[in-house]
Amino acid sequence: MSNVYDGVFRTILNDCRKLIIPVINEIFKEEYIGNEEIQFFPNEHFIDQQNAADKERITDTNFVIIGRTKKRYHIECESSLPDGKITIRLFEYDAQIALDEGEITEETLTVTFPNTAVLYLRAYKKTPDKMKYIIITPGGTIQYDVPIMKVQMYSLDDIFEKHLLFLIPFYIFSHEKKFSEYDNNKQKFSELKAEYQSILKRLDELEQQKVIGAFDKRTIIELSDDVVREITQKYKNVQKGMGDIMRGAMIETEAHRIKIENQKKIAIRLLKTGKLTIEEIAECSELSIIEVEQLADLQTV
């Protein structure tokens, strides 16, 4: 997989970690509400090999979500054609994660395998809906499925309705087969740009509703731009046009952040004078009454 896509996946996971929870709910049919604690663990593991140096394996994710119970998850991000090798790598990672966290009591080794899934950025005819582990042991056979999430199967409405904002940087993959057409047909390309403008508008609305913060929104936009630049390298018109939209949105986001900070400074100065009511300060600063009340509470702490 491209190092760019790999980096985007890890960045959004680490910087906007709460966005992974709806993805976990979708893949594993969990019912996390979004305020659960997430603990990350080292991604580097060394696989023991006989008569050879140990191999270092770096997983995309290794984390625990603490809700009513404590569950460990391992999610890998792939953009390549399924060839069977990913299943072997997954099992190696899972076995090493289980060993790293294993417990020995009176010569009894207990290992717990993580809940594992694969997020495929591209879906091919050969891409299955799930993988499977079958482990034959002297004590019996164990088997279980490793679910697959196909990004291209999710429409924009799906993404926003299910709060799968984690997938937005990779949404451009659903248009990949049409890049040549977009590059040579302004009308078709305008439809793609309109779709991305709608994404930016919906992100703005979520920020205004306090569903996501300004940092999360900016990170999603920046990482979307990174993926678009990487995937459209051969299509200069698409790359430039999409880049203008994404970078324009980042400039507007930064301008909005500066405006809000200035409004807060005005409100704080007026609060310190003690001469105006909360309602009057809200009107002067163009903040909401609730935002001014929150600033007032901070001043009294």
Side-chain angles (χ1 to χ4, degrees):
M1 185 179 71
S2 166
N3 288 334
V4 171
Y5 308 144
D6 187 45
V8 167
F9 179 79
R10 292 184 186 178
T11 298
I12 193 169
L13 180 66
N14 285 281
D15 291 356
C16 309
R17 59 182 58 186
K18 291 294 184 180
L19 297 184
I20 194 63
I21 289 181
V23 175
I24 296 296
N25 286 342
E26 176 73 7
I27 295 174
F28 295 102
K29 310 306 177 189
E30 301 282 11
E31 295 182 349
Y32 296 122
I33 61 176
N35 62 359
E36 290 81 6
E37 180 184 354
I38 303 177
Q39 295 179 351
F40 284 89
F41 293 84
N43 288 0
E44 296 82 8
H45 301 280
F46 289 90
I47 311 300
D48 293 334
Q49 298 188 112
Q50 289 185 344
N51 303 319
D54 292 347
K55 289 189 296 183
E56 183 182 19
R57 289 294 200 195
I58 300 178
T59 63
D60 282 342
T61 65
N62 177 17
F63 61 94
V64 164
I65 296 180
I66 302 175
R68 294 181 208 172
T69 59
K70 182 177 178 181
K71 290 188 178 181
R72 184 175 296 275
Y73 295 93
H74 166 212
I75 313 295
E76 290 290 319
C77 183
E78 280 291 322
S79 64
S80 57
L81 181 70
D83 58 3
K85 294 179 181 178
I86 177 66
T87 312
I88 295 172
R89 294 202 310 272
L90 281 175
F91 184 77
E92 285 183 335
Y93 298 158
D94 287 348
Q96 199 61 51
I97 289 171
L99 279 173
D100 289 347
E101 301 298 319
E103 298 180 356
I104 297 179
T105 305
E106 297 180 354
E107 300 307 315
T108 298
L109 171 64
T110 301
V111 292
T112 302
F113 274 61
N115 295 274
T116 300
V118 182
L119 189 153
Y120 267 103
L121 305 182
R122 294 184 174 100
Y124 303 89
K125 290 183 178 180
K126 291 180 62 176
T127 306
D129 293 325
K130 61 185 178 182
M131 298 177 180
K132 185 185 290 289
Y133 291 161
I134 299 177
I135 307 167
I136 301 173
T137 77
T141 299
I142 300 167
Q143 67 177 35
Y144 62 93
D145 295 335
V146 175
I148 288 174
M149 171 180 265
K150 302 174 184 177
V151 172
Q152 293 175 322
M153 299 297 291
Y154 290 85
S155 68
L156 275 185
D157 286 340
D158 291 334
I159 287 172
F160 281 96
E161 286 170 9
K162 296 183 177 185
H163 305 290
L164 300 172
L165 306 183
F166 190 97
L167 303 184
I168 289 178
F170 305 112
Y171 178 71
I172 192 66
F173 278 88
S174 65
H175 288 278
E176 186 176 18
K177 293 180 180 179
K178 298 181 180 179
F179 285 162
S180 180
E181 183 178 8
Y182 294 150
D183 213 42
N184 296 288
N185 187 317
K186 291 183 178 180
Q187 177 58 38
K188 289 292 183 181
F189 186 34
S190 67
E191 295 173 6
L192 174 64
K193 291 192 289 186
E195 191 170 46
Y196 265 80
Q197 285 163 345
S198 76
I199 291 175
L200 298 172
K201 181 180 178 181
R202 292 169 87 163
L203 288 174
D204 283 340
E205 291 170 352
L206 291 178
E207 182 189 10
Q208 292 165 12
Q209 296 163 9
K210 309 291 186 187
V211 175
I212 60 174
F215 177 80
D216 287 347
K217 186 184 80 170
R218 182 177 178 84
T219 301
I220 291 170
I221 295 171
E222 287 181 343
L223 296 178
S224 297
D225 184 47
D226 288 344
V227 174
V228 166
R229 280 190 285 113
E230 176 68 15
I231 200 174
T232 61
Q233 290 185 57
K234 297 179 181 178
Y235 307 94
K236 299 305 179 184
N237 292 333
V238 176
Q239 187 174 73
K240 182 182 183 305
M242 292 298 294
D244 289 345
I245 291 175
M246 305 310 289
R247 284 185 282 280
M250 285 187 279
I251 291 171
E252 289 178 8
T253 299
E254 181 63 15
H256 180 67
R257 183 192 67 78
I258 293 172
K259 178 183 177 181
I260 293 296
E261 289 301 316
N262 288 335
Q263 289 172 318
K264 288 181 178 179
K265 288 177 182 178
I266 292 171
I268 290 170
R269 283 201 301 268
L270 294 175
L271 283 167
K272 288 180 177 179
T273 66
K275 296 179 180 179
L276 299 178
T277 65
I278 293 292
E279 290 77 11
E280 290 171 330
I281 293 174
E283 185 176 353
C284 291
S285 63
E286 298 183 354
L287 292 173
S288 68
I289 292 175
I290 292 175
E291 288 172 319
V292 176
E293 287 175 340
Q294 291 172 341
L295 289 172
D297 290 341
L298 290 174
Q299 299 307 305
T300 59
V301 174

